[in-house]
Amino acid sequence: MPASAPHTAALALYTDSSPNGFKITIALAELGLPYQLHHVRIEYAEHRQPAFLALNPHGRIPVLVDRDTGVTVFESAAILLYLAEKTGRLLPADPQQRWAAVTWLLFHAASMGPLLGQRVHFEIAEGGANGAAAAHFRQLSDAALATLDGRLARGPYLAGDAYSVADIASFGWLHIARIVGFDLAAWPHVQAWHARVAARPAVRLGVTIPAPATGA
């Protein structure tokens, strides 16, 4: 468990209970890697403190520090790739599936994640007060989900047969989407994939670290 990991653990994770943070706690649980957990409480603006900004000048979680290599990585997609490269896991060896995993990881980072984030903001956080913005991001996120659904119609995971960093990244935001009440019924392949990934023991653990999300 990360809370009991020694302070001498090679990896240190700075994170909060968020979709981007959960991507990394899931990955670390899947890989079984010990790490020192630093809970950066965004509600108390701890991500804006000088000590954290020294790790990520943009002031966003998560951040991974690898004391063995001296490498500090921020942005969740970059951290997932770093962990996959470090361990030789969560990226398929087959070139076609490997590059499929990278492609769908970046599809999430560039398209689906940001769109779902804006939809949650305008539809949930603001309660739909800006109707035009809420409708705009609902349309765009629905289109991204339709693209994801088409991919998952061809195989159980985004890379094909192999579970990978692409699945972990996409699950992080869809976990939050489900918590705040988004219905995935229009995308049956996404819905089945979400249930399949959610059943993994490492995923069930990862979404509780440093604390479960409430959707508030």
Side-chain angles (χ1 to χ4, degrees):
M1 292 291 289
S4 62
H7 293 299
T8 55
L11 299 176
L13 176 66
Y14 297 77
T15 193
D16 200 358
S17 299
S18 79
N20 292 323
F22 289 148
K23 298 171 193 177
I24 311 309
T25 51
I26 289 170
L28 288 165
E30 293 280 6
L31 296 167
L33 293 175
Y35 62 97
Q36 183 183 359
L37 177 67
H38 298 270
H39 189 177
V40 180
R41 293 168 174 83
I42 293 173
E43 70 269 29
Y44 301 132
E46 292 178 358
H47 60 307
R48 299 298 182 190
Q49 298 302 309
F52 184 77
L53 292 172
L55 300 173
N56 180 357
H58 195 47
R60 297 180 62 189
I61 62 93
V63 175
L64 184 76
V65 176
D66 187 340
R67 298 185 182 98
D68 278 349
T69 61
V71 170
T72 296
V73 190
F74 57 86
E75 292 295 336
S76 56
I79 296 172
L80 288 172
L81 286 174
Y82 182 82
L83 290 171
E85 289 277 326
K86 181 180 178 72
T87 62
R89 296 170 58 193
L90 295 177
L91 273 177
D94 172 76
Q96 285 192 339
Q97 291 200 38
R98 184 182 185 87
W99 282 104
V102 173
T103 297
W104 287 99
L105 171 65
L106 296 183
F107 170 79
H108 172 82
S111 298
M112 197 178 78
L115 292 173
L116 282 170
Q118 293 297 320
R119 180 175 174 181
V120 168
H121 175 77
F122 286 109
E123 196 168 313
I124 304 300
E126 289 196 352
N130 187 332
H136 175 70
F137 286 106
R138 186 181 310 116
Q139 179 183 16
L140 291 177
S141 63
D142 285 356
L145 284 164
T147 299
L148 202 68
D149 198 67
R151 172 62 181 180
L152 290 166
R154 299 166 52 192
Y157 298 109
L158 289 168
D161 296 330
Y163 174 77
S164 73
V165 290
D167 301 288
I168 293 172
S170 292
F171 183 86
W173 256 110
L174 285 173
H175 173 69
I176 299 300
R178 292 300 300 270
I179 286 175
V180 300
F182 290 177
D183 186 3
L184 299 179
W187 305 282
H189 301 293
V190 172
Q191 192 170 42
W193 164 88
H194 182 276
R196 189 158 51 246
V197 175
R200 296 177 67 91
V203 174
R204 294 200 301 268
L205 173 61
V207 296
T208 69
I209 301 171
T214 64

